[in-house]
Amino acid sequence: KNEVEQSPQNLTAQEGEFITINCSYSVGISALHWLQQHPGGGIVSLFMLSSGKKKHGRLIATINIQEKHSSLHITASHPRDSAVYICAVKVGETSGSRLTFGEGTQLTVNP
Amino acid sequence: DTEVTQTPKHLVMGMTNKKSLKCEQHMGHRAMYWYKQKAKKPPELMFVYSYEKLSINESVPSRFSPECPNSSLLNLHLHALQPEDSALYLCASSQVQRVEKLFFGSGTQLSVL
């Protein structure tokens, strides 16, 4: 069993739909990152969470430390949101950031 | 400037070649990382430099040799690679402590023939 599990693996939505991607982890963590990767490689860091909720534009990320679970929500989805979304956790407080990655969720938003 | 710049974007090399990948950032980050990513898989950490010193080596074969000549530059020297080393190589940077965000470069797509 992976330490970080994402669901679903693939998600297809229509433009305008509300989208939720889930991430569960089995270890104690100090932080959780949500990353976005577009075709061609570039990875963008969307959020870093250690508790609660963060919002940036149409993106909302929540984390429940007790349940070891995080969600990424996209409101009013748009075709440009099509990408792979990756959850990654940081274990411990070592300097720098050694992250354990989930397998990613491939999101396709159709017009 | 919030960019991590990687060169080259694409590289094709033979198994006997020696080549280098370069990564540069001017955000004052003192932690820099090399990741390897195979198609449809998440990135795998290879090396972490913290204050220009190698702090993490994830048991990477010696045919990959990292170098951090100063706080803005990170190199990955490649020698005698195997076809299975073909992958996207990503560089990233961050603060050392209280990491809020990782900044990634767009990667070097490496093909070993």
Side-chain angles (χ1 to χ4, degrees):
Chain A
K1 188 178 190 317
N2 291 337
E3 289 182 328
V4 181
E5 297 215 336
Q6 286 186 234
S7 63
Q9 282 189 311
N10 294 283
L11 180 56
T12 300
Q14 286 301 120
E15 184 172 358
E17 285 183 2
F18 180 84
I19 286 161
T20 295
I21 299 170
N22 295 299
C23 176
S24 296
Y25 50 92
S26 57
V27 295
I29 67 168
S30 55
L32 182 144
H33 294 257
W34 280 103
L35 309 169
Q36 178 194 56
Q37 186 169 28
H38 279 103
I43 292 180
V44 175
S45 180
L46 298 174
F47 297 104
M48 196 277 297
L49 296 161
S50 52
S51 64
K53 177 178 172 178
K54 285 190 177 179
K55 185 175 190 291
H56 182 71
R58 295 180 294 107
L59 301 177
I60 303 166
T62 63
I63 188 167
N64 185 318
I65 298 293
Q66 286 73 31
E67 294 185 6
K68 293 186 166 63
H69 181 267
S70 176
S71 293
L72 176 69
H73 305 285
I74 305 175
T75 62
S77 59
H78 190 275
R80 65 174 174 266
D81 297 325
S82 298
V84 176
Y85 291 84
I86 304 171
C87 168
V89 300
K90 180 181 175 186
V91 179
E93 289 293 342
T94 53
S95 63
S97 190
R98 181 189 235 133
L99 298 177
T100 300
F101 292 83
E103 293 287 315
T105 294
Q106 173 69 64
L107 171 65
T108 303
V109 181
N110 293 317
Chain B
D1 183 1
T2 57
E3 272 195 2
V4 175
T5 304
Q6 286 189 245
T7 55
K9 292 201 184 310
H10 301 275
L11 180 62
V12 179
M13 60 187 291
M15 289 190 283
T16 57
N17 291 158
K18 282 186 184 181
K19 296 285 185 186
S20 296
L21 309 185
K22 296 187 183 303
C23 174
E24 189 168 4
Q25 56 86 17
H26 297 287
M27 293 177 277
H29 291 162
R30 301 301 292 278
M32 295 186 77
Y33 313 79
W34 280 116
Y35 287 90
K36 173 183 176 180
Q37 186 178 27
K38 299 285 253 183
K40 299 192 184 300
K41 291 290 183 185
E44 299 169 26
L45 183 65
M46 300 174 73
F47 302 104
V48 181
Y49 272 82
S50 181
Y51 298 111
E52 295 85 69
K53 298 252 185 298
L54 185 64
S55 59
I56 296 174
N57 176 341
E58 293 287 285
S59 303
V60 179
S62 60
R63 57 187 185 268
F64 295 91
S65 175
E67 179 197 19
C68 190
N70 61 54
S71 59
S72 299
L73 291 174
L74 184 66
N75 298 320
L76 186 64
H77 302 297
L78 314 173
H79 175 53
L81 293 194
Q82 304 295 310
E84 60 265 27
D85 297 320
S86 298
L88 180 69
Y89 288 84
L90 290 159
C91 173
S93 72
S94 73
Q95 303 286 353
V96 174
Q97 302 292 345
R98 304 169 77 86
V99 177
E100 286 290 326
K101 212 172 178 179
L102 278 175
F103 291 80
F104 284 85
S106 55
T108 294
Q109 187 65 57
L110 174 68
S111 297
V112 182
L113 304 178

